[in-house]
Amino acid sequence: MTDIILYDYWRSSASYRVRIALNLKGVAYTAVNTSLLDGDQKAPAYVARNPQGFVPMLSIDGLDLTQSLAIIDYLDAKYDDPPMVSRDPVERATTLAQAMVIAADIHPVNNLRILKYLKNELGQEQEAINKWNRHWIGEGFAALETMAPKAGLFGGEQPNLADVCLIPQMANARRFDTDLNPFPRLVRIDADCNQLDAFQKAAPEAVKDQ
Protein backbone atom coordinates (compact mmCIF):
# COMPACT_ATOMS: atom_id res chain seq x y z
CA MET A 1 0.00 0.00 0.00
CA THR A 2 1.51 3.29 -1.05
CA ASP A 3 0.72 6.60 0.58
CA ILE A 4 0.55 8.23 -2.87
CA ILE A 5 -3.10 8.19 -3.88
CA LEU A 6 -4.52 9.20 -7.24
CA TYR A 7 -8.20 10.08 -7.28
CA ASP A 8 -8.88 8.92 -10.77
CA TYR A 9 -11.56 8.21 -13.36
CA TRP A 10 -10.74 5.79 -16.15
CA ARG A 11 -12.11 7.91 -18.99
CA SER A 12 -10.81 11.27 -17.75
CA SER A 13 -8.18 12.65 -20.13
CA ALA A 14 -6.59 14.70 -17.38
CA SER A 15 -6.34 11.64 -15.13
CA TYR A 16 -4.90 9.67 -18.06
CA ARG A 17 -2.10 12.24 -18.38
CA VAL A 18 -1.17 11.86 -14.73
CA ARG A 19 -1.26 8.07 -14.92
CA ILE A 20 1.17 8.20 -17.85
CA ALA A 21 3.53 10.56 -16.01
CA LEU A 22 3.48 8.44 -12.85
CA ASN A 23 4.23 5.33 -14.89
CA LEU A 24 7.02 6.97 -16.88
CA LYS A 25 8.68 8.04 -13.64
CA GLY A 26 8.15 4.67 -12.00
CA VAL A 27 6.16 6.13 -9.11
CA ALA A 28 3.95 3.59 -7.35
CA TYR A 29 0.50 4.81 -6.38
CA THR A 30 -2.91 3.63 -5.32
CA ALA A 31 -5.83 4.61 -7.55
CA VAL A 32 -9.18 5.54 -6.03
CA ASN A 33 -11.99 5.42 -8.56
CA THR A 34 -13.85 8.73 -8.53
CA SER A 35 -16.74 8.28 -10.93
CA LEU A 36 -17.66 11.38 -12.87
CA LEU A 37 -20.89 9.73 -14.00
CA ASP A 38 -21.92 8.94 -10.43
CA GLY A 39 -20.90 12.40 -9.20
CA ASP A 40 -18.25 11.18 -6.76
CA GLN A 41 -16.19 14.28 -7.55
CA LYS A 42 -18.95 16.48 -6.11
CA ALA A 43 -19.19 14.70 -2.76
CA PRO A 44 -18.74 17.23 0.10
CA ALA A 45 -15.70 15.44 1.53
CA TYR A 46 -14.00 15.48 -1.87
CA VAL A 47 -14.85 19.12 -2.63
CA ALA A 48 -13.47 20.09 0.76
CA ARG A 49 -10.10 18.89 -0.49
CA ASN A 50 -10.52 19.86 -4.15
CA PRO A 51 -12.77 22.93 -4.42
CA GLN A 52 -13.29 22.57 -8.19
CA GLY A 53 -14.62 19.05 -7.75
CA PHE A 54 -12.54 17.70 -10.63
CA VAL A 55 -10.30 14.73 -11.22
CA PRO A 56 -7.48 14.04 -10.98
CA MET A 57 -6.32 14.81 -7.47
CA LEU A 58 -3.02 13.42 -6.23
CA SER A 59 -2.48 12.99 -2.52
CA ILE A 60 1.28 13.06 -1.97
CA ASP A 61 3.66 14.37 0.70
CA GLY A 62 0.73 15.54 2.82
CA LEU A 63 -0.63 17.60 -0.08
CA ASP A 64 -3.75 17.34 -2.22
CA LEU A 65 -2.58 18.42 -5.66
CA THR A 66 -5.07 19.30 -8.39
CA GLN A 67 -4.96 20.18 -12.10
CA SER A 68 -3.11 17.62 -14.19
CA LEU A 69 -0.34 19.86 -15.48
CA ALA A 70 0.35 21.19 -12.00
CA ILE A 71 0.50 17.62 -10.70
CA ILE A 72 2.89 16.61 -13.46
CA ASP A 73 5.03 19.68 -12.78
CA TYR A 74 5.27 18.65 -9.11
CA LEU A 75 6.21 15.10 -10.09
CA ASP A 76 8.80 16.46 -12.52
CA ALA A 77 10.41 18.51 -9.77
CA LYS A 78 10.39 15.61 -7.32
CA TYR A 79 11.28 12.79 -9.71
CA ASP A 80 13.47 14.25 -12.41
CA ASP A 81 13.92 11.15 -14.57
CA PRO A 82 12.67 11.13 -17.23
CA PRO A 83 12.08 14.89 -17.51
CA MET A 84 8.75 16.08 -18.83
CA VAL A 85 10.17 19.45 -19.87
CA SER A 86 13.68 20.57 -20.67
CA ARG A 87 15.72 22.87 -18.47
CA ASP A 88 16.62 24.83 -21.59
CA PRO A 89 14.29 27.88 -21.65
CA VAL A 90 13.56 27.69 -25.38
CA GLU A 91 12.89 23.96 -25.40
CA ARG A 92 10.80 24.28 -22.24
CA ALA A 93 8.64 27.03 -23.74
CA THR A 94 8.21 25.03 -26.94
CA THR A 95 7.05 21.93 -25.08
CA LEU A 96 4.68 23.91 -22.87
CA ALA A 97 3.15 25.60 -25.93
CA GLN A 98 2.58 22.22 -27.59
CA ALA A 99 1.07 20.72 -24.45
CA MET A 100 -1.18 23.71 -23.89
CA VAL A 101 -2.71 23.40 -27.36
CA ILE A 102 -4.36 20.33 -25.88
CA ALA A 103 -4.62 21.11 -22.18
CA ALA A 104 -5.78 24.72 -22.53
CA ASP A 105 -7.50 24.88 -25.92
CA ILE A 106 -8.86 21.48 -27.03
CA HIS A 107 -9.64 19.60 -23.85
CA PRO A 108 -11.54 22.25 -21.81
CA VAL A 109 -14.32 22.63 -24.40
CA ASN A 110 -14.60 18.85 -24.88
CA ASN A 111 -14.80 17.61 -21.31
CA LEU A 112 -17.81 15.99 -19.68
CA ARG A 113 -19.25 19.01 -17.90
CA ILE A 114 -19.30 21.01 -21.14
CA LEU A 115 -20.90 18.15 -23.07
CA LYS A 116 -23.54 17.70 -20.37
CA TYR A 117 -24.32 21.43 -20.46
CA LEU A 118 -24.71 21.34 -24.24
CA LYS A 119 -27.13 18.45 -23.92
CA ASN A 120 -29.07 19.20 -20.74
CA GLU A 121 -29.11 22.99 -20.61
CA LEU A 122 -28.93 23.92 -24.28
CA GLY A 123 -30.91 20.97 -25.60
CA GLN A 124 -28.44 19.88 -28.25
CA GLU A 125 -28.77 16.48 -29.93
CA GLN A 126 -25.96 13.98 -29.49
CA GLU A 127 -24.80 14.24 -33.11
CA ALA A 128 -24.51 18.03 -32.77
CA ILE A 129 -22.45 17.52 -29.61
CA ASN A 130 -20.21 15.03 -31.40
CA LYS A 131 -19.78 17.53 -34.25
CA TRP A 132 -18.77 20.17 -31.66
CA ASN A 133 -16.12 17.80 -30.34
CA ARG A 134 -14.76 16.98 -33.75
CA HIS A 135 -14.57 20.65 -34.71
CA TRP A 136 -12.46 21.73 -31.76
CA ILE A 137 -10.28 18.64 -31.84
CA GLY A 138 -9.65 19.13 -35.55
CA GLU A 139 -8.84 22.82 -35.16
CA GLY A 140 -6.33 22.16 -32.38
CA PHE A 141 -4.79 19.15 -34.10
CA ALA A 142 -4.28 21.14 -37.29
CA ALA A 143 -2.04 23.53 -35.39
CA LEU A 144 -0.33 20.78 -33.42
CA GLU A 145 0.41 18.79 -36.58
CA THR A 146 2.53 21.68 -37.88
CA MET A 147 4.38 21.80 -34.55
CA ALA A 148 5.04 18.05 -34.50
CA PRO A 149 8.45 16.67 -35.48
CA LYS A 150 8.84 14.88 -38.80
CA ALA A 151 10.38 11.92 -36.98
CA GLY A 152 10.40 10.73 -33.39
CA LEU A 153 8.25 11.92 -30.52
CA PHE A 154 7.65 15.47 -29.37
CA GLY A 155 10.30 14.69 -26.78
CA GLY A 156 12.65 13.20 -29.36
CA GLU A 157 13.71 9.71 -28.34
CA GLN A 158 11.66 9.70 -25.13
CA PRO A 159 8.22 11.14 -24.33
CA ASN A 160 7.82 14.59 -22.86
CA LEU A 161 4.86 16.60 -21.59
CA ALA A 162 3.49 17.22 -25.09
CA ASP A 163 3.41 13.48 -25.76
CA VAL A 164 1.77 12.84 -22.39
CA CYS A 165 -0.99 15.31 -23.28
CA LEU A 166 -1.38 14.11 -26.87
CA ILE A 167 -2.11 10.43 -26.32
CA PRO A 168 -5.25 10.89 -24.16
CA GLN A 169 -6.55 13.45 -26.63
CA MET A 170 -6.00 11.03 -29.50
CA ALA A 171 -8.12 8.50 -27.62
CA ASN A 172 -10.85 11.12 -27.29
CA ALA A 173 -10.57 11.97 -30.98
CA ARG A 174 -11.20 8.36 -31.93
CA ARG A 175 -14.06 8.12 -29.46
CA PHE A 176 -15.84 10.88 -31.34
CA ASP A 177 -14.96 9.52 -34.80
CA THR A 178 -12.63 12.39 -35.66
CA ASP A 179 -10.97 12.06 -39.05
CA LEU A 180 -7.27 11.67 -38.23
CA ASN A 181 -6.04 11.34 -41.82
CA PRO A 182 -4.97 15.02 -41.95
CA PHE A 183 -2.66 14.46 -38.96
CA PRO A 184 -0.12 11.76 -39.92
CA ARG A 185 2.57 13.01 -37.56
CA LEU A 186 0.23 12.91 -34.59
CA VAL A 187 -0.96 9.45 -35.57
CA ARG A 188 2.66 8.27 -35.78
CA ILE A 189 3.53 9.71 -32.37
CA ASP A 190 0.43 8.16 -30.86
CA ALA A 191 1.32 4.74 -32.27
CA ASP A 192 4.92 4.97 -31.07
CA CYS A 193 3.95 6.07 -27.55
CA ASN A 194 1.40 3.31 -27.27
CA GLN A 195 4.15 0.77 -27.79
CA LEU A 196 5.59 1.85 -24.43
CA ASP A 197 4.62 0.05 -21.23
CA ALA A 198 3.98 3.28 -19.32
CA PHE A 199 1.33 4.33 -21.84
CA GLN A 200 -0.22 0.88 -22.17
CA LYS A 201 -0.69 0.54 -18.41
CA ALA A 202 -2.26 4.02 -18.21
CA ALA A 203 -4.79 3.46 -21.01
CA PRO A 204 -8.48 3.68 -20.11
CA GLU A 205 -9.16 0.07 -21.06
CA ALA A 206 -6.26 -1.05 -18.84
CA VAL A 207 -7.53 0.72 -15.71
CA LYS A 208 -11.31 0.65 -16.20
CA ASP A 209 -11.96 -2.32 -13.95
CA GLN A 210 -9.19 -1.79 -11.43
Side-chain angles (χ1 to χ4, degrees):
M1 181 74 175
T2 175
D3 58 1
I4 300 176
I5 300 173
L6 177 64
Y7 294 84
D8 187 21
Y9 183 58
W10 68 278
R11 190 171 263 174
S12 161
S13 296
S15 296
Y16 191 174
R17 296 171 197 153
V18 174
R19 294 195 302 265
I20 294 169
L22 287 164
N23 292 346
L24 284 170
K25 291 178 178 293
V27 178
Y29 67 95
T30 297
V32 173
N33 181 49
T34 308
S35 174
L36 301 183
L37 294 182
D38 295 339
D40 294 349
Q41 78 282 11
K42 297 301 182 183
Y46 187 83
V47 173
R49 299 170 62 186
N50 181 352
Q52 279 192 297
F54 291 169
V55 292
M57 178 171 72
L58 188 70
S59 177
I60 184 173
D61 298 335
L63 304 169
D64 288 328
L65 302 180
T66 62
Q67 289 290 343
S68 62
L69 266 61
I71 293 170
I72 294 170
D73 184 66
Y74 183 90
L75 292 172
D76 213 29
K78 185 175 175 69
Y79 309 98
D80 59 4
D81 186 35
M84 294 292 96
V85 293
S86 173
R87 291 180 178 272
D88 177 81
V90 174
E91 291 181 4
R92 178 184 175 89
T94 298
T95 298
L96 287 172
Q98 293 162 344
M100 295 297 278
V101 170
I102 295 167
D105 294 332
I106 299 175
H107 177 243
V109 295
N110 284 176
N111 69 19
L112 182 62
R113 65 191 184 118
I114 301 299
L115 305 186
K116 288 174 68 174
Y117 190 86
L118 288 170
K119 185 172 186 176
N120 298 333
E121 304 299 328
L122 300 183
Q124 296 299 308
E125 297 294 332
Q126 189 60 49
E127 182 47 42
I129 295 171
N130 292 345
K131 186 175 180 181
W132 162 281
N133 272 294
R134 289 191 292 267
H135 172 79
W136 296 116
I137 292 170
E139 187 171 282
F141 275 7
L144 197 60
E145 176 75 9
T146 67
M147 300 177 184
K150 294 181 180 179
L153 309 178
F154 277 105
E157 294 184 356
Q158 65 181 17
N160 68 7
L161 181 62
D163 299 295
V164 167
C165 288
L166 173 65
I167 274 55
Q169 191 59 58
M170 290 292 282
N172 272 349
R174 291 189 175 96
R175 183 177 159 209
F176 292 107
D177 296 321
T178 307
D179 181 9
L180 296 177
N181 288 321
F183 317 117
R185 295 181 186 180
L186 302 186
V187 170
R188 184 202 73 241
I189 292 168
D190 179 60
D192 289 348
C193 283
N194 280 312
Q195 294 298 310
L196 302 177
D197 188 63
F199 287 82
Q200 292 175 4
K201 288 182 176 178
E205 58 272 18
V207 304
K208 181 179 179 181
D209 298 321
Q210 292 181 0

